[in-house]
Amino acid sequence: MKQYIGIDLGGTGIKGAVVREDGEILARQTCPTRPQRGPAAVAEDMAAMIRTLGRGREVAGVGLGCPGTVDDRAGTVVYACNIGWVNYDVRRVLEDTGFTVRLVNDANAAALAEAAVGAAKGARSAVVVTLGTGIGGGVVLDGHLLTGFTGAASELGHMCIVADGESCACGRRGCWETYASATALIRRTEAAMAAHPDSALHRIARAKGGVDGRTAFAGQEAGDPAATRVVAEYIRYLGVGIANLVNIFFPEVIALGGGIANQGETLLRPLRAQVQSQEYGSAYTKKHPRIVTCTLGSDAGVIGAALFAAEKPE
Ligand code: BGC
């Protein structure tokens, strides 16, 4: 069976893996991204990782999953607002390793992986939404990843859900990711703490060494009213975007990934109710799609990037 290297470039860390064409991971590596060093230093680290992973192996190609707009034909990261890359010729640096390199958006990679060997295995159509620093998305229709022109499709996190709403890192206002990413949830949790000095959120955050995407859910579980409101509001915004995606794509499966998705049914049960209340159509459409949690966890990015390396170029 052929082997590929998948690299998942994130805002915090870079993950790399040798992946067999059936999705099995054979070896892995990680290192911190430290994006403030600029793209050249980050790309050198990725090249070093590829060399280490590829040493002594028959590797058929490399796939790089990046946040933002990639141009797989030109080999550039066109625009990645969360790591500050603009028109960076990353393929030139990575192909110095001797391997052929393909570029794919990070969430498109996750969607490819979840559809092939994860939560949406067996489904002909699926939408994967990753809830992290931003919101990423990937759409698989009739078994194929929707790439759009040169691979830039499915910026689901940048669909506007509130006209003239909060400012997004992309420069627009009201993007879904400013309301429903992990970053947004943390911001709302901190705002609730500032407004409610007596909230249990303070105790919970102190015990965990700071606020993260779990803090509000833990507060809700402890019966804290401010935390319960933060979670309800978060799920409402998440639901608006998911209902839009259901109305546009009507996929068999919608799978949620990223740390927040680890809340499982605590998140999914109220979310399904939200989505159903907003979907277009009849009782039939309201029964579908299945909204589930991704099953590949943080491996989805490397597996999907590797599987993308095996796809035919556009
Ligand atoms: C970017 C997407 C990316 C997502 C997750 C968003 O801000 O626009 O391209 O997939 O973050 O990293």
Side-chain angles (χ1 to χ4, degrees):
M1 248 190 250
K2 284 189 176 162
Q3 299 175 17
Y4 297 86
I5 292 177
I7 303 283
D8 180 15
L9 169 62
T12 319
I14 302 167
K15 299 189 198 80
V18 179
V19 182
R20 222 166 44 193
E21 61 187 332
D22 62 354
E24 195 65 29
I25 293 184
L26 305 176
R28 357 171 146 247
Q29 281 250 310
T30 55
C31 72
T33 309
R34 293 183 281 131
Q36 63 284 0
R37 296 177 297 156
V42 175
E44 282 305 336
D45 282 355
M46 292 194 289
M49 190 179 272
I50 292 168
R51 286 193 186 93
T52 310
L53 285 168
R55 199 161 295 139
R57 287 180 190 274
E58 189 85 18
V59 171
V62 175
L64 168 64
C66 290
T69 311
V70 299
D71 182 343
D72 183 43
R73 289 195 310 190
T76 54
V77 176
V78 179
Y79 176 68
C81 60
N82 291 335
I83 51 169
W85 288 21
V86 177
N87 284 329
Y88 182 65
D89 188 355
V90 67
R91 179 144 67 208
R92 194 181 43 80
V93 181
L94 300 191
E95 287 200 332
D96 203 43
T97 57
F99 299 112
T100 310
V101 177
R102 301 282 310 277
L103 302 189
V104 60
N105 168 271
D106 57 355
N108 282 1
L112 196 58
E114 292 289 346
V117 293
K121 187 174 171 188
R124 297 291 295 163
S125 57
V127 173
V128 167
V129 175
T130 61
L131 307 167
T133 309
I135 292 187
V139 177
V140 173
L141 292 178
D142 206 16
H144 296 289
L145 180 70
L146 179 81
T147 55
F149 180 58
T150 72
S154 305
E155 280 295 343
L156 306 184
H158 298 281
M159 86 175 125
C160 177
I161 61 160
V162 180
D164 297 323
E166 288 178 31
S167 301
C168 181
C170 75
R172 196 184 183 199
R173 286 184 171 273
C175 293
W176 192 28
E177 80 171 33
T178 63
Y179 293 86
S181 60
T183 314
L185 177 59
I186 291 168
R187 206 171 43 239
R188 281 172 189 280
T189 306
E190 285 169 346
M193 288 166 72
H196 302 280
D198 53 340
S199 160
L201 287 168
H202 292 276
R203 174 179 49 77
I204 293 163
R206 242 189 335 268
K208 297 280 179 203
V211 177
D212 63 19
R214 286 168 295 214
T215 313
F217 285 96
Q220 170 176 262
E221 203 183 314
D224 182 71
T228 305
R229 277 196 298 276
V230 170
V231 170
E233 197 177 43
Y234 175 77
I235 292 176
R236 189 162 68 84
Y237 285 122
L238 187 58
V240 171
I242 303 241
N244 290 348
L245 296 174
V246 173
N247 290 347
I248 297 168
F249 297 109
F250 203 67
E252 198 175 330
V253 176
I254 293 213
L256 303 185
I260 293 178
N262 292 338
Q263 295 297 331
E265 288 299 314
T266 308
L267 172 73
L268 294 182
R269 211 170 301 115
L271 178 66
R272 289 186 193 111
Q274 266 296 327
V275 173
Q276 280 166 11
S277 73
Q278 298 180 53
E279 268 171 36
Y280 169 79
S282 60
Y284 169 76
T285 56
K286 288 181 192 308
K287 268 207 324 247
H288 300 277
R290 280 188 289 126
I291 302 179
V292 300
T293 310
C294 288
T295 56
L296 300 175
S298 57
D299 288 341
V302 283
I303 296 175
L307 296 182
F308 188 75
E311 301 244 308
K312 271 209 224 46
E314 208 189 294

